Amino acid sequence: MNNTPRNLTQSLEEQGKAQPTGRSWLEGEITADTWQFKEYLEGQYSSRLRLTWQPTFDVSDSVANINWELWKTFAKQFCAEVLDGKQGLIRTSSAKGYVQNIKSVCQFLCFARQCPNVKAVEASDILAYEEHIRERGVSLSHATSLLIAVHSLFKDKKEGMLGLSFDPYPIQRRIKTVAKSISRKDGHTPTLEPEIGLNIIDCALREIKNGQEVVADYEKYLELKAKTKRTLAAKHFRQQFGIKVSELIRKVDILYGAALVVVLSLSAMRKHEASQITYTYAKSLVEGERETLTGRVYKTAGTSVGLETNRGVVPEVIQAIELIIRITEPMRRESDHKLLLLRTLSYNSVSRGQANPALSTTSLYALLDKFTDVYCPADVRLRPHMFRRFFSMMWAWRFETGDLSYLSQLLFHNGYEFTKAYTEDEDVWRFMPEELRNLTYSIFEDALIGKQRLVGNFSKAITKYMRMLQSKVTIVEPKHASRFAELLVERLGYFVVPANDGYCFMSSSRGRRAKCSTNGIGPDYSNRSEHLCAGCPNFGVPSNRERTWEARLRAHEIASKTAYSDDMKSASQKGINTARKILIQFKAQNEN
């Protein structure tokens, strides 16, 4: 019994033999029952990029087992066709995720619904799969990815390929809506409270400052270990220095964890970006030959090879990197590995059968846990993304009550270079942190329902959006405004940068209109001034900032009367005119 079309089987065999190594995403042939996806991150373990086509369902039923061979042949061919069309545009980890989801769909249809092939699948089978997802209690993001795989069986089939005979998710039945109804709400990495986050950074910096002696003892122990047996080295070390080796290793791990905390928290790097820092670049940064820390980001790069990133760094980050170099140097000598973040030689050595010396995610978490056990509250578990969220939260929070100068001091910056690297990026909205996104949602929602009125040049745009919203609904309620705000943020790329005197309403297209721009591409927030902001089409002042502008007017009036130089008087008069302009708009708004 074989329901597989002859041309499908033949095509699969020919493709597998003809292109065993020609794919950027797969090692070996597609006919194999184990797929090994190609490495895209230096130092990752090959097991993380391996997928077996053995089903996870019960295969005791002989008919279902035969059908699975047919489904498996189809799924391999389908995935190969789709991914071959995306070569160079998709990371191999994403490719594995796609294949894994296609396999999940196919084996459910084969074993749970007993469909002989994909052409026999009906709408009721898709509904049953959705119920299966609901019973598993998966997250919203995972449910969405599974439904996208289902839709792919219809949407991505090419001419001559098999696939679903109907569209399971037409316009009136959107994937996002269905996924929300069958999944649990996504959790996210907790955000560190400002007090806890700053205290953790402070503790990490103190640990690094006092860590030179620990590293020196560690190097002495490794020298002894190289000359004699490990057990004897530990004994001699304790006799000579009065400390157990186990305690020394614990201190080294805590110190390594502290260095990671400083690098991640003061650079806002992603975990995988930091993992791609090379020893050569790190060493040249420490030796003063470079001024930026170079990593490689994949998540938003839009290419399988990633995008090189360069970040300005402060002395504290350089000190942390110098410490990491010293801690990992013994492993680097033994393995000749080019990455910065390696495991320590004391508990993992290439010579003891560990082929990959790179610091894995599990090992990185373990180092952070060691640091956490000493310096963090019992309910806090540090993870790399928490530091990005903390950095972003502090950025938004500080802008609400202060300025870039204070933010730079708060984050140990010696100047605006690093801060500007974030605010000047024309694609900054793509990296928008959740706190800033939520802030943007709430400001737009309040403005659209008239809860918070804005003056300034951007008020014209808000008025336009309010009219668009009112044309769609008779009564503008928060739920309508919220959906409209979501459209502005997610589709148009809007984000709001709060400052003490008002808000900058930005998007990838509006950045070119910024009055504070120094390059004609995007804003330069360090170049902000009340005069530039008042004339900027991206600037809006909420009603609770009226007193700020009244205080500015009084200050400029005093300065104008007491100043001796003509330049000071001219600047004060310009400030008076600007403040009066904003206050006149407030007055007109209040009268209306």
Side-chain angles (χ1 to χ4, degrees), residues 8-64:
L8 174 63
T9 307
Q10 187 178 17
S11 172
L12 179 61
E13 291 174 351
E14 290 174 354
Q15 189 173 2
K17 291 176 181 177
Q19 294 180 316
T21 58
R23 294 183 168 88
S24 63
W25 53 274
L26 185 68
E27 302 278 3
E29 300 181 357
I30 64 171
T31 52
D33 272 353
T34 298
W35 279 13
Q36 182 65 51
F37 294 82
K38 291 183 179 179
E39 179 184 66
Y40 73 99
L41 284 179
E42 291 278 353
Q44 64 187 340
Y45 296 115
S46 59
S47 60
R48 293 174 64 88
L49 293 177
R50 187 178 299 137
L51 179 140
T52 174
W53 283 96
Q54 292 298 317
T56 55
F57 277 67
D58 181 16
V59 294
S60 57
D61 187 318
S62 59
V63 175

Side-chain angles (χ1 to χ4, degrees), residues 171-200:
I171 295 175
Q172 61 270 27
R173 192 169 186 265
R174 298 174 60 200
I175 287 178
K176 187 174 182 181
T177 304
V178 176
K180 282 184 177 179
S181 68
I182 64 176
S183 64
R184 58 178 173 79
K185 187 177 180 181
D186 278 351
H188 61 73
T189 307
T191 302
L192 291 170
E193 297 284 333
E195 184 178 356
I196 295 175
L198 290 172
N199 182 63
I200 287 172

Side-chain angles (χ1 to χ4, degrees), residues 500-513:
N500 191 45
D501 54 359
Y503 296 117
C504 292
F505 293 85
M506 302 301 301
S507 69
S508 56
S509 61
R510 297 190 71 89
R512 293 188 295 272
R513 308 183 201 176

Side-chain angles (χ1 to χ4, degrees), residues 143 401 417 456 467 556 589:
T401 57
E417 288 76 16
R467 288 172 181 165
H556 285 306
Q589 186 186 76

Side-chain angles (χ1 to χ4, degrees), residues 93-354:
S93 59
S94 300
K96 180 192 173 183
Y98 174 78
V99 175
Q100 202 162 274
N101 290 339
I102 291 291
K103 175 191 171 186
S104 169
V105 176
C106 290
Q107 67 177 3
F108 176 85
L109 296 172
C110 174
F111 294 104
R113 299 298 292 179
Q114 298 182 346
C115 298
N117 53 51
V118 70
K119 295 180 69 176
V121 176
E122 299 177 350
S124 59
D125 299 314
I126 302 302
L127 292 174
Y129 185 62
E130 291 171 6
E131 185 59 33
H132 171 66
I133 294 174
R134 186 198 304 275
E135 290 172 357
R136 288 173 58 190
V138 304
S139 67
L140 172 59
S141 56
H142 186 38
T144 302
S145 67
L146 291 172
L147 297 188
I148 288 173
V150 173
H151 196 216
S152 177
L153 294 176
F154 172 80
K155 180 177 69 71
D156 293 329
K157 66 177 181 179
K158 301 175 183 176
E159 186 176 351
M161 286 175 60
L162 292 178
L164 291 179
S165 58
F166 62 96
D167 187 352
Y169 301 107
I171 295 175
Q172 61 270 27
R173 192 169 186 265
R174 298 174 60 200
I175 287 178
K176 187 174 182 181
T177 304
V178 176
K180 282 184 177 179
S181 68
I182 64 176
S183 64
R184 58 178 173 79
K185 187 177 180 181
D186 278 351
H188 61 73
T189 307
T191 302
L192 291 170
E193 297 284 333
E195 184 178 356
I196 295 175
L198 290 172
N199 182 63
I200 287 172
I201 294 174
D202 188 47
C203 292
L205 290 173
R206 284 204 309 271
E207 184 74 29
I208 291 172
K209 184 179 179 180
N210 301 325
Q212 299 302 321
E213 185 177 340
V214 173
V215 178
D217 288 344
Y218 174 61
E219 291 168 342
K220 292 171 185 174
Y221 163 66
L222 292 179
E223 288 178 8
L224 284 173
K225 185 182 173 185
K227 296 176 182 178
T228 183
K229 293 181 179 180
R230 183 177 62 84
T231 52
L232 291 177
K235 181 180 179 181
H236 292 163
F237 183 81
R238 184 177 183 183
Q239 290 175 345
Q240 187 172 350
F241 299 100
I243 182 175
K244 291 183 178 179
V245 170
S246 59
E247 178 62 19
L248 172 65
I249 299 305
R250 189 183 75 86
K251 289 183 176 181
V252 171
D253 287 344
I254 294 171
L255 188 58
Y256 199 166
L260 290 170
V261 165
V262 171
V263 172
L264 293 170
S265 59
L266 298 186
S267 72
M269 275 188 159
R270 288 183 173 89
K271 177 187 65 180
H272 79 263
E273 183 184 359
S275 73
Q276 298 303 293
I277 301 172
T278 64
Y279 168 71
T280 302
Y281 280 165
K283 191 169 185 293
S284 61
L285 177 66
V286 169
E287 292 177 350
E289 297 173 1
R290 294 175 59 88
E291 296 180 353
T292 57
L293 179 61
T294 301
R296 186 167 292 275
V297 67
Y298 289 84
K299 187 171 183 180
T300 55
T303 170
S304 61
V305 297
L307 178 69
E308 186 175 275
T309 60
N310 290 285
R311 299 168 180 265
V313 291
V314 293
E316 289 78 5
V317 172
I318 296 175
Q319 291 169 13
I321 290 175
E322 184 176 13
L323 197 63
I324 291 173
I325 289 175
R326 286 189 64 185
I327 291 174
T328 57
E329 188 59 33
M331 174 62 82
R332 186 169 292 103
R333 283 198 302 268
E334 184 158 331
S335 64
D336 194 30
H337 206 284
K338 70 177 186 178
L339 293 180
L340 170 67
L341 300 184
L342 305 180
R343 295 190 178 198
T344 53
L345 187 61
S346 52
Y347 65 92
N348 181 60
S349 173
V350 174
S351 62
R352 287 161 49 202
Q354 297 292 339

